[in-house]
Amino acid sequence: MILCRYTTSERCIELIKDQRLYAANPVVDFNDPFEFCLGTVGEINREDMDRHYRNNLRPRLSADLQKKLPEDLTNEAWETLKPTYKQKRKQDNEESIKDAVEKTIRIICFCDPDKIKNGGEDILLWSHYANGHKGVKIYFNTEHIKTISENLFPVFYSEERPGIDITDPNHENAEEVCRSIIQTKNKSWHYEQEFRWIIHIDECIKENGRMYIPFLPEAIRRIDLGCRCNKREDIMAVLKENKAYKHVKMYDALVHEHKFALEYKEIELDNL
């Protein structure tokens, strides 16, 4: 499968030299504030709330205050505490999932070039991820990246956030919900046509607090230079230094003469 990444010229040079991709910590690195924000499924019942009151809230009070309060919640207290308790259960679930994700996985994001429209999504992606068209778009053949085919998933776009059943104390569907959270974004992100490669941290190379995944030079199939590329000669030079990259095709992204679109012109190999 051929997928692409939009990135800066500096990162392009770095990954060509080091032959590795940065594996992001999704909890802290991603730019969407709705990552790992759960929707709410289920309603808190009175029995569950009474048990929480008896086992968790009431024991924290002083002995004198406990004597003055009923052993079970009054109807008025139930209606008052219900929204707060529901929100607390939701927050606890979110923090639990974030903690598990941060301790166990990293993610590398790609785009599907076959579904990105020139003149629309393509221009936005260059602007948002390739330093305002000063960077590059790199095409990868995923067959040459270890283990990727086993853990590569498309992102689904939805108006609704995945939710976990707050009435289920055992979280029997927690793994399914966690996977759904990682794979689901709002429809406004549809232009990215994103794929996410989910990687266990044990597969990563750890260096200075960051994590990486190595790839073979054959994995890079093509590099497009942005219409404002600020490291054009440097990128060409680093490719030329390593003969393992001699198969890589190079293209210039050029502003179309009269359309809101980009034209891609192949760079003659003699120019490398």
Side-chain angles (χ1 to χ4, degrees):
M1 186 175 190
I2 303 297
L3 297 173
C4 67
R5 280 177 61 86
Y6 295 78
T7 188
T8 65
S9 295
E10 291 78 10
R11 287 177 181 169
C12 173
I13 292 171
E14 180 181 299
L15 72 85
I16 290 172
K17 286 183 176 180
D18 298 338
Q19 294 178 28
R20 64 186 186 182
L21 288 164
Y22 172 62
N25 179 341
V27 175
V28 298
D29 289 338
F30 283 5
N31 60 357
D32 182 0
F34 290 95
E35 299 280 1
F36 302 102
C37 288
L38 291 170
T40 302
V41 178
E43 288 293 333
I44 298 297
N45 59 53
R46 181 65 179 267
E47 182 182 352
D48 185 47
M49 188 64 196
D50 281 337
R51 185 168 52 252
H52 176 66
Y53 169 73
R54 289 193 303 269
N55 298 337
N56 298 294
L57 298 181
R58 203 168 184 275
R60 297 178 185 177
L61 304 175
S62 66
D64 289 341
L65 189 53
Q66 287 186 43
K67 292 177 182 179
K68 297 177 182 179
L69 294 175
E71 292 188 4
D72 291 322
L73 289 171
T74 63
N75 290 335
E76 183 180 0
W78 155 249
E79 293 299 333
T80 301
L81 292 174
K82 180 180 176 181
T84 303
Y85 180 56
K86 185 176 181 179
Q87 181 63 22
K88 179 66 166 56
R89 288 285 293 270
K90 177 176 176 290
Q91 290 175 348
D92 288 347
N93 288 333
E94 287 180 356
E95 291 304 315
S96 177
I97 289 174
K98 286 181 181 180
D99 184 62
V101 166
E102 192 164 18
K103 289 179 179 178
T104 57
I105 71 169
R106 292 296 181 265
I107 295 177
I108 298 177
C109 302
F110 299 90
C111 300
D112 184 349
D114 292 334
K115 293 183 179 179
I116 295 171
K117 297 178 182 178
N118 189 0
E121 292 93 338
D122 190 37
I123 292 174
L124 287 175
L125 288 163
W126 276 104
S127 298
H128 294 167
Y129 296 105
N131 193 20
H133 296 255
K134 296 175 184 176
V136 303
K137 176 166 58 174
I138 307 174
Y139 292 76
F140 292 89
N141 184 341
T142 60
E143 293 180 2
H144 296 287
I145 303 179
K146 185 180 179 182
T147 75
I148 190 170
S149 60
E150 303 168 14
N151 302 288
L152 182 68
F153 303 96
V155 168
F156 301 106
Y157 302 96
S158 172
E159 294 292 350
E160 299 294 328
R161 302 207 301 264
I164 194 166
D165 189 349
I166 58 175
T167 67
D168 175 15
N170 298 319
H171 301 317
E172 293 181 357
N173 67 336
E175 185 175 345
E176 178 184 342
V177 170
C178 187
R179 174 79 68 178
S180 182
I181 291 171
I182 292 172
Q183 287 184 248
T184 306
K185 299 179 72 172
N186 180 261
K187 285 184 176 180
S188 60
W189 296 94
H190 184 265
Y191 74 97
E192 292 184 342
Q193 296 295 329
E194 185 178 354
F195 274 75
R196 288 182 168 181
W197 178 18
I198 303 172
I199 310 155
H200 195 279
I201 59 172
D202 290 342
E203 299 178 58
C204 299
I205 297 171
K206 303 172 180 67
E207 183 179 301
N208 298 324
R210 294 165 68 86
M211 297 191 186
Y212 301 89
I213 287 290
F215 62 82
L216 298 173
E218 294 90 331
I220 297 181
R221 306 307 301 167
R222 166 177 164 176
I223 298 177
D224 295 346
L225 304 177
C227 60
R228 298 174 175 173
C229 187
N230 58 357
K231 297 284 185 179
R232 178 187 175 90
E233 300 305 321
D234 294 336
I235 293 170
M236 290 184 173
V238 75
L239 282 173
K240 191 175 181 179
E241 287 173 3
N242 190 339
K243 292 182 179 180
Y245 289 114
K246 65 181 181 180
H247 63 280
V248 176
K249 293 185 177 181
M250 300 282 294
Y251 284 76
D252 276 320
L254 307 172
V255 174
H256 195 281
E257 186 175 351
H258 58 87
K259 295 180 181 179
F260 286 110
L262 297 169
E263 293 183 300
Y264 290 92
K265 181 180 180 181
E266 186 169 2
I267 300 171
E268 297 295 332
L269 297 179
D270 292 342
N271 294 335
L272 286 177

